[in-house]
Amino acid sequence: MAEQALATQLIGSCYLNVEGDILPLVDYTLPDISWSIHEPSSALPSSRSDIQIGEPALGKLILSLQPPAFPPLTKWVHELTDGGHHQLDLEVLRADTNGNIQEGLRLSGCVLTELHFPPCAAAQKDAYVVRAVLQPERIAALPSGPLKKLSIGTKQRPWLVSGFRLSIDGLPTGGISKIDGIDLIRDIASRRVGELREPLPYYGIARCSPLVLTIGGRDYPAWRDYALKRLAEGTPASALAARLTFLDASLKKELGSLQFSLAGLAGFQFARATSRGDEAAGMQGVARLPVQDIKLEVAPTQS
């Protein structure tokens, strides 16, 4: 493999080579390799030696990454929501602390099938790590070799699951303590074409899971009354726009955002009330809003 350049602060970790750009990963899981097994019918006399190994199958490549360190993620979100697909030839690399590759594999013909954004919770301090799932066509090992070290470049500010701010048209959001994870998943279908009836894959537009919010404190009455009003009127929900902004540790500087087009309020669940009078928990509700469109923006890195 050709010599590649890595920043010194990344040595000893996992990387992805995307079209010549080596990007840091939190971790990765390589696709399983399996072969189909054909066994004789139980109705016929046979021996266990009649078992035959059939066609091979390659599983999914799973990448865990932080959005500010992975520029292709913005395009990947658009690809899933737009229904387009691009086959990528990727290299996953694992190096030791001296910058030598311990293992490198090339995965050809990869198609993005899923993106999973983690939950946001004000009480947690975990890193905001996105999981990407791709379907490769082929996998092969790369020769090991040294990596050239560069001086430390611009440091990326990490995103945290607790550093967020949400805004939704006409509704208060200061009392939202949790936002469930968001999943973008598309189906891959195939049909057989031509004289040889070879399978031709079709890639659909990704389905996005609803925006699910846990609401309490001063905002709970407004959301409760909004849901009750919609119920009393019996009219279809109104479309809403929302923006989930990711902030630095000071909660002042914007690092990026997810922008949503929402179909409207599709569900409101009241939290269970008890006779113990647990005032610490307070009154809470869970709102569910279907997502029609989603867009990712990452603020440019400043030197």
Side-chain angles (χ1 to χ4, degrees):
M1 185 181 67
E3 188 177 75
Q4 303 287 354
L6 291 176
T8 55
Q9 75 269 29
L10 302 181
I11 296 298
S13 301
C14 306
Y15 321 98
L16 184 72
N17 186 350
V18 186
E19 297 177 342
D21 293 328
I22 295 185
L23 305 173
L25 297 172
V26 176
D27 59 55
Y28 63 81
T29 301
L30 292 169
D32 294 335
I33 304 171
S34 61
W35 285 262
S36 60
I37 300 176
H38 303 289
E39 299 193 46
S41 171
S42 59
L44 300 174
S46 61
S47 67
R48 303 305 294 174
S49 61
D50 292 332
I51 295 177
Q52 295 182 348
I53 302 299
E55 295 296 320
L58 196 57
K60 301 291 184 69
L61 170 65
I62 303 174
L63 310 174
S64 298
L65 51 99
Q66 274 238 309
F70 201 87
L73 183 58
T74 299
K75 293 182 179 179
W76 286 11
V77 172
H78 177 73
E79 177 179 322
L80 283 182
T81 56
D82 189 53
H85 73 277
H86 298 85
Q87 289 190 320
L88 297 170
D89 294 335
L90 306 175
E91 292 178 359
V92 289
L93 310 170
R94 181 168 53 187
D96 60 21
T97 54
N98 294 318
N100 298 311
I101 297 177
Q102 295 177 313
E103 183 179 54
L105 292 111
R106 182 175 179 83
L107 297 107
S108 305
C110 296
V111 175
L112 178 69
T113 61
E114 303 175 28
L115 285 174
H116 300 275
F117 294 85
C120 291
Q124 298 181 6
K125 300 298 181 184
D126 297 332
Y128 190 88
V129 176
V130 177
R131 191 158 50 92
V133 181
L134 300 101
Q135 178 62 64
E137 288 186 343
R138 298 173 300 280
I139 184 172
L142 295 170
S144 60
L147 298 175
K148 180 181 178 181
K149 300 179 184 179
L150 295 179
S151 59
I152 296 177
T154 302
K155 295 189 68 175
Q156 301 280 0
R157 289 186 174 90
W159 292 13
L160 301 175
V161 297
S162 58
F164 69 92
R165 180 176 64 230
L166 180 68
S167 61
I168 298 180
D169 286 345
L171 287 164
T173 54
I176 293 175
S177 59
K178 181 184 176 184
I179 302 172
D180 283 12
I182 300 163
D183 302 317
L184 276 167
I185 303 174
R186 71 168 159 198
D187 296 323
I188 301 179
S190 64
R191 73 177 184 187
R192 297 188 178 277
V193 298
E195 294 182 1
L196 300 178
R197 310 303 293 170
E198 295 182 351
L200 179 66
Y202 288 85
Y203 303 93
I205 297 176
R207 304 183 309 275
C208 186
S209 60
L211 189 63
V212 179
L213 313 174
T214 300
I215 306 148
R218 63 186 182 275
D219 291 347
Y220 167 79
W223 281 82
R224 176 203 61 201
D225 294 346
Y226 181 76
L228 294 174
K229 181 179 179 181
R230 307 304 303 183
L231 178 64
E233 292 176 349
T235 55
S238 300
L240 300 168
R243 187 171 189 259
L244 175 59
T245 304
F246 300 95
L247 308 169
D248 66 359
S250 69
L251 301 181
K252 295 179 180 179
K253 182 177 180 58
E254 296 187 3
L255 305 178
S257 67
L258 283 170
Q259 300 176 25
F260 302 91
S261 296
L262 306 173
L265 182 65
F268 188 83
Q269 180 181 359
F270 296 95
R272 183 173 65 94
T274 68
S275 60
R276 293 193 301 269
D278 188 358
E279 297 180 358
M283 294 181 291
Q284 285 188 339
V286 176
R288 179 167 52 88
L289 303 104
V291 176
Q292 295 177 323
D293 193 20
I294 181 173
K295 179 181 178 182
L296 173 68
E297 291 186 353
V298 179
T301 303
Q302 296 181 352
S303 302

